[in-house]
Amino acid sequence: MAVYQVLVVDDSAFMRKIVTDLIEADPEFKVAATASTGKEAIQKAVDVKPDIITMDVEMPEMNGLDALKSIMQQSSVPVIMLSGINEQGMKETIMALEAGAFDFIRKPSISHDQDIAQVGKALVERMRAAMNEIKRKADREASLQKRKEIQEDVLRQSQRVQRETPAQVHREPAQKRIDPVQPVTRPTSEQSERFQSQSLKRNAPLGDQKKERSDKKAEAPKSPDRLPDVREAKTRKPVKPVPTPKEIRNSEPLRSAVDQVAAASSRPIPKAVAGTEGAFNKIVAIGCSTGGPRALKTLLEELPADLPAPVIIVQHMPPNFTRSLAQRLNTFSPLHVVEAEDGMVLKKGSAYIAPGGYHIIVSNTADGKFILKLTEEHPVNGHRPSVDTMFESLLPFTSLQRHLVLLTGMGSDGARMMKKLYEAGVTSTFAENEETCVVYGMPRSAVELQCVRHLLPLQEIAPKLVQAVK
């Protein structure tokens, strides 16, 4: 079993001891070094070359965010942030996730043993996920490199064959056949009679000569080596194909177009939802987990303010942090981004992030408006909020054009209900591909269920989504 080396960074000696004990409770991990400041962490990251780092967010001299940015410039070692629940700590944690931190956990409460154990379990789970992703990406790179080498080898062999084939033809030129010289002999009496007969035929009337020549042509077998008569080539006219009537040639496309128009007219056209907040007949639902804050920033930055649909987002995150996430994303996105509240009326051009600790459900009112409901029902797939719960709430609303998106994240939350909506005829389904995912878990689960219409790198999702919605 591989033992991964860990660098623990925290300004509190007591917290360094707690985190060290939590990590080393798992035999896969060993704390190789500790640091008490951001500057010390940068130097030890170079000296120790750890497999993974745990980083306190708030520290003197240099905080965890600045230390993270410096370390990210030197290496791609995964960093897990440990954050307090104060306003500044949560804000800097969100910024750290944007800057490249693999994930974060909140600091344990020292006075509660049960809380310490829960935080320890969450920390080891994220550390293991980080190591698995490093291995997966290394395996993928090796596989791509091997495939590239095979393709290059096949290309080299093909080029070598092309070079050698003409050379063989020139080395063995065809030998010209030379007939032996025949000795000159006198004509026999039989040959003389044939000569006289031919002379008489030449003196025959022109009509008889033509008739005889035509008979001979009919009887003579065609030689494959015979070249075409120049006179025949000049007088022979090309055979024109029988013209096909235009209506016959275009009958298939015409029938296809008629069928498409008939099918389109038979489908019910979704009617816009009326209300004081503006009409819409489209909705976008997004789910993500590990790596989600950075992915959401990339996606929401490219969605226009006049997007004719509301956007509902589930990001797996503890309570309070989702408010900081919404505030942060609102500074980047043309959309109006808020943390969702119970009873909020959905508006097009706005994005709503499910608050940590609550499931988010789309519902409707008697006057035709769509609203959000928050519940504290049991976690689904180990999560509250759950992507599956949000997706499931969209099932009854067939009048809406529903667009579903799954971004980077551990586990399979969201895939099961994406499949159900896909089978029910949802408008479009998107998933982030393996190339850009921090953790290729949730998207991969949806791909395996064969319910993803658009599997794209992160930067290509927004343009395609806008095209589908507009």
Side-chain angles (χ1 to χ4, degrees), residues 186-221:
R186 286 186 178 185
T188 62
S189 59
E190 199 175 353
Q191 289 172 338
S192 299
E193 289 175 6
R194 190 160 54 246
F195 176 78
Q196 291 173 3
S197 172
Q198 289 173 354
S199 298
L200 289 170
K201 286 177 182 176
R202 280 197 295 272
N203 296 327
L206 186 61
D208 293 341
Q209 289 180 33
K210 286 183 178 178
K211 183 174 184 299
E212 189 173 346
R213 278 200 298 271
S214 64
D215 292 341
K216 284 188 176 180
K217 283 181 185 177
E219 292 172 5

Side-chain angles (χ1 to χ4, degrees), residues 397-414:
F397 303 121
T398 54
S399 64
L400 290 175
Q401 293 180 21
R402 296 156 293 179
H403 303 270
L404 312 182
V405 183
L406 279 177
L407 302 177
T408 173
M410 284 190 291
S412 62
D413 190 26

Side-chain angles (χ1 to χ4, degrees), residues 119-174:
V119 169
K121 183 181 177 182
L123 175 60
V124 171
E125 182 185 65
R126 284 160 174 74
M127 290 170 65
R128 190 174 288 114
M131 294 298 98
N132 288 340
E133 282 306 301
I134 287 175
K135 183 178 183 302
R136 178 187 64 80
K137 288 181 178 178
D139 291 344
R140 182 173 179 272
E141 287 297 321
S143 175
L144 291 173
Q145 182 61 33
K146 185 163 184 170
R147 189 183 307 169
K148 182 181 176 183
E149 290 171 358
I150 291 171
Q151 289 172 345
E152 289 174 349
D153 187 50
V154 170
L155 181 61
R156 281 195 299 269
Q157 290 180 10
S158 174
Q159 291 172 342
R160 187 167 62 248
V161 169
Q162 288 175 1
R163 285 195 303 269
E164 291 175 355
T165 302
Q168 291 175 0
V169 172
H170 289 301
R171 279 199 300 271
E172 299 176 5

